[in-house]
Amino acid sequence: MGLSGTLPPNFNRLSKLSNLGFQRNNFTGSLPTFSGLSDLVYAYLNDNAFDSIPSDFFVGLTSIQALALDNNPLNATTGWTLPTELQNSKQLINLSMIHCNLVGQLPDFLATFESLNELKLSFNQLTGGIPAAFANSMVRVLWLNGQEPGLSGSISPISSMIYSRQLWLHGNHFTGVIPDIGNLTSLRELNLNGNQLVGVIPPSLATMDLVKLDLNNNQLMGPIPKFKLTNVTYDHNNFCQSVPGAPCSPDVTSLLAVLASVDYPSNLVSQWSGNDPCSLPWVGISCDGQSKITRIILPNRGLNGTLSPSVSTLESLLEIKLGGNNLSGPIPDSLTALKSLKLLDLSHNNFEPPSPKFRSNVRVVLDGNPLFAGGTVSPPPSPGTISPPGYQPSPEQPAPPHVAPPYVKPPFSPVPSQDGQPENGFNRSKLIIIVAAVAGGAFIFLLVIVVALCVCKRKKRRKRTTEAPLSVVVHPKDPLDPQNAVKVTISSTATGNSIETGNSFWSGNSSGLLSSRTLYSGNAISVQILRKVTDNFAPENELGRGGFGVVYRGMRSIPCHFYTQKLLQ
């Protein structure tokens, strides 16, 4: 009608007002309070220029059935929230507040209105998620599209909105998978464009009697189903095939099941696309030269959920490294069927016992799983079969720039770390290695000291033996000796070993009390030597006299060779 100006602040004195239609005009200023207008049933104030709304606007609107405030710049600077007084307006059928600066979260009480048919809140600044209470909502038309910065979380509540006919959720930040909505038989239009939805399209969605389906600009994966409807779009996703109905490769199907079991983490979803994990290697996946998946290396990724039994279908797996995450549940028994598996590292998670019985050459690391009583480590395989679990990317799969740094395990503690993940690492192993090294070093040091003492003692013993007093007995030549040799006997108190030097032979006894060494030589002994060892044939060194001469005792060390022939002659 082109009306302009402002509404009087005492507008609520029209106590019997039941129908108000000021839509599509040029009214400005503040909305007057409608407090106390208990007979008001219809109020259309949309498409004007009202710039503020009083806090008591909704008080006492107990009979209101249709209220429209669309396209008014209400409280443009701060925004405004739906007040709790609105929950008393249980007769509401249509509530439309598009583009009017609503902020905050979507109130739960709107889901309790049994008569509410249309709830249109598009292009506002709502945050948070869809309240779980909406699963039981009677709403048929729900517009939540175009929020800034955007609604988030799961859209799972819509799976139980059996009365819904039109769901506009596009232009937000919804995450998670598309729930199975095959039971929504009244649904005709579903718009999920421009979110962050992941996973495989539910098969039931392809068979529904929809008029329009928009799945563009998400991160949907897996195959594209053959849809029953013709007005469907699904561009800009991560499907494995571009042709509807074409299946994914078996390896991709298995890995998508693994991804589903850990709730589709965004840091993997964005990197796992296509139908060949080996051609442009997927993050955390390594392959051999024959494009067979050999390693799953995803430690310290913040993974939540369980370990999918689908891993066992990847028959060429050598290593599975999932340490330092938040995985729980049982360890699938089917993993024991992996004939090439050498390493299964599930350390620092929350897996439940018991552990399946793997082959003896499979190393299973379960340290840091509280339910395993502190963790257990199976015996390592033969050397050279695997690399130690250091959480480094495989040589066949270099880490991309955005990948988290290599996983270094701190000492185990069941208390979560500051990033919400269990503390993890190999510090305990390092400590054991350090202690062992120190102990080994100490042992070697003590051994060196003992050996050194023994050597010194032996040298002293040899010195004492060399310097021990000697008794020298020179015998005359034996006429029966064919070599015409002279016999000289040297006696000492030191114990010696048999020594053979030159033409001489020394023989010692082992009694330790007295040792005699006898020298045989066909050469002469100089008189100077005999004088030296007998102190010039001193009387005190005389041992006795015999038929062939006098026997003297030598008190000093003497050479090993005696030449006595001239002397005796």
Side-chain angles (χ1 to χ4, degrees):
M1 296 178 62
L3 299 177
S4 60
T6 61
L7 297 181
N10 57 354
F11 192 84
N12 62 338
R13 290 187 177 182
L14 302 174
S15 59
K16 297 300 182 180
L17 183 65
S18 62
N19 193 340
L20 176 63
F22 283 165
Q23 69 272 24
R24 292 187 292 276
N25 283 286
N26 295 313
F27 289 111
T28 58
S30 176
L31 277 171
T33 179
F34 280 18
S35 176
L37 295 180
S38 59
D39 291 337
L40 186 61
V41 178
Y42 305 103
Y44 296 99
L45 301 167
N46 54 289
D47 298 289
N48 281 278
F50 295 112
D51 59 15
S52 62
I53 182 171
S55 59
D56 61 348
F57 180 85
F58 297 95
V59 175
L61 298 181
T62 56
S63 300
I64 194 74
Q65 295 182 17
L67 176 61
L69 296 174
D70 310 334
N71 301 313
N72 282 284
L74 302 174
N75 297 5
T77 303
T78 60
W80 62 286
T81 60
L82 289 173
T84 56
E85 289 81 6
L86 184 59
Q87 65 184 333
N88 297 320
S89 302
K90 297 186 180 297
Q91 304 300 317
L92 268 173
I93 298 175
N94 298 328
L95 179 61
S96 184
M97 297 181 178
I98 300 171
H99 194 224
C100 62
N101 296 322
L102 274 175
V103 298
Q105 297 187 356
L106 190 62
D108 289 1
F109 64 77
L110 293 177
T112 65
F113 291 175
E114 296 180 357
S115 59
L116 189 59
N117 184 53
E118 295 184 4
L119 178 59
K120 299 178 179 180
L121 303 176
S122 306
F123 301 110
N124 282 290
Q125 302 171 39
L126 297 176
T127 57
I130 300 176
F134 272 79
N136 301 315
S137 173
M138 308 286 286
V139 173
R140 288 167 172 78
V141 176
L142 179 62
W143 290 6
L144 296 175
N145 56 293
Q147 304 299 320
E148 181 63 39
L151 294 170
S152 59
S154 171
I155 63 171
S156 58
I158 71 171
S159 63
S160 300
M161 296 177 63
I162 58 175
Y163 300 102
S164 59
R165 293 180 58 86
Q166 189 179 60
L167 296 174
W168 286 7
L169 305 178
H170 50 288
N172 284 287
H173 299 288
F174 289 116
T175 56
V177 300
I178 300 176
D180 187 351
I181 57 175
N183 59 327
L184 305 185
T185 56
S186 299
L187 188 63
R188 293 295 176 265
E189 186 175 343
L190 177 62
N191 194 331
L192 300 175
N193 188 348
N195 283 285
Q196 299 171 18
L197 299 172
V198 297
V200 178
I201 296 176
S204 61
L205 186 58
T207 61
M208 295 180 67
D209 292 323
L210 297 176
V211 175
K212 183 179 180 180
L213 175 62
D214 190 342
L215 301 176
N216 294 332
N217 302 299
N218 282 282
Q219 299 181 37
L220 300 174
M221 313 177 79
I224 301 173
K226 289 185 176 181
F227 290 96
K228 182 178 180 179
L229 73 162
T230 57
N231 189 8
V232 56
T233 55
Y234 41 74
D235 297 329
H236 305 291
N237 283 283
N238 296 334
F239 297 118
C240 65
Q241 300 280 13
S242 59
V243 179
C248 299
S249 69
D251 284 352
V252 170
T253 301
S254 298
L255 289 176
L256 290 182
V258 172
L259 207 58
S261 69
V262 295
D263 298 332
Y264 293 101
S266 59
N267 58 355
L268 295 183
V269 169
S270 60
Q271 302 292 329
W272 287 18
S273 62
N275 199 40
D276 186 357
C278 299
S279 61
L280 292 174
W282 292 7
V283 170
I285 303 300
S286 295
C287 304
D288 60 15
Q290 299 178 348
S291 295
K292 298 291 186 181
I293 297 175
T294 56
R295 291 175 176 84
I296 298 178
I297 307 175
L298 297 171
N300 200 25
R301 286 276 181 173
L303 303 180
N304 295 282
T306 61
L307 179 56
S308 172
S310 298
V311 174
S312 62
T313 62
L314 303 173
E315 298 178 352
S316 299
L317 275 178
L318 298 173
E319 298 181 358
I320 301 174
K321 295 182 179 180
L322 298 174
N325 288 292
N326 193 31
L327 302 176
S328 58
I331 301 172
D333 291 332
S334 58
L335 296 184
T336 59
L338 291 171
K339 297 181 180 179
S340 301
L341 188 65
K342 300 298 181 184
L343 171 64
L344 177 62
D345 187 349
L346 304 179
S347 59
H348 293 273
N349 282 282
N350 292 297
F351 285 102
E352 302 172 1
S355 173
K357 294 183 178 179
F358 290 87
R359 301 186 317 277
S360 58
N361 66 333
V362 178
R363 185 184 181 195
V364 181
V365 185
L366 295 175
D367 285 343
N369 285 270
L371 297 179
F372 276 90
T376 59
V377 181
S378 66
S382 302
T385 56
I386 61 170
S387 58
Y391 301 119
Q392 297 282 358
S394 167
E396 302 159 331
Q397 160 94 38
H402 68 278
V403 175
Y407 171 58
V408 181
K409 297 172 73 175
F412 163 68
S413 170
V415 180
S417 65
Q418 63 180 0
D419 60 357
Q421 300 174 11
E423 291 289 347
N424 45 62
F426 285 121
N427 280 359
R428 180 166 51 179
S429 300
K430 291 181 180 178
L431 180 60
I432 294 175
I433 293 173
I434 292 173
V435 172
V438 172
F443 174 78
I444 294 174
F445 179 76
L446 291 176
L447 183 61
V448 170
I449 292 177
V450 171
V451 171
L453 291 175
C454 291
V455 171
C456 292
K457 187 175 181 181
R458 186 172 182 181
K459 286 184 178 180
K460 291 181 179 180
R461 182 181 301 169
R462 287 181 178 177
K463 185 175 181 181
R464 288 197 303 267
T465 302
T466 304
E467 297 176 354
L470 300 175
S471 296
V472 181
V473 179
V474 181
H475 302 275
K477 292 189 291 186
D478 187 352
L480 298 179
D481 187 353
Q483 297 183 0
N484 197 22
V486 175
K487 182 178 180 181
V488 178
T489 301
I490 302 173
S491 301
S492 74
T493 57
T495 301
N497 295 322
S498 297
I499 303 173
E500 185 176 359
T501 305
N503 294 329
S504 304
F505 178 79
W506 296 76
S507 63
N509 75 41
S510 58
S511 66
L513 300 176
L514 180 67
S515 64
S516 297
R517 296 173 178 82
T518 302
L519 175 89
Y520 294 94
S521 175
N523 300 314
I525 301 176
S526 66
V527 68
Q528 289 84 359
I529 293 176
L530 293 180
R531 287 183 182 279
K532 182 177 180 180
V533 300
T534 61
D535 197 13
N536 197 24
F537 303 104
E540 58 269 21
N541 287 330
E542 182 177 326
L543 297 177
R545 295 177 177 268
F548 296 97
V550 183
V551 179
Y552 289 89
R553 179 178 61 185
M555 301 300 293
R556 299 180 182 176
S557 299
I558 63 174
C560 294
H561 300 279
F562 292 88
Y563 304 93
T564 60
Q565 183 176 5
K566 183 176 179 180
L567 176 66
L568 294 178
Q569 289 176 348

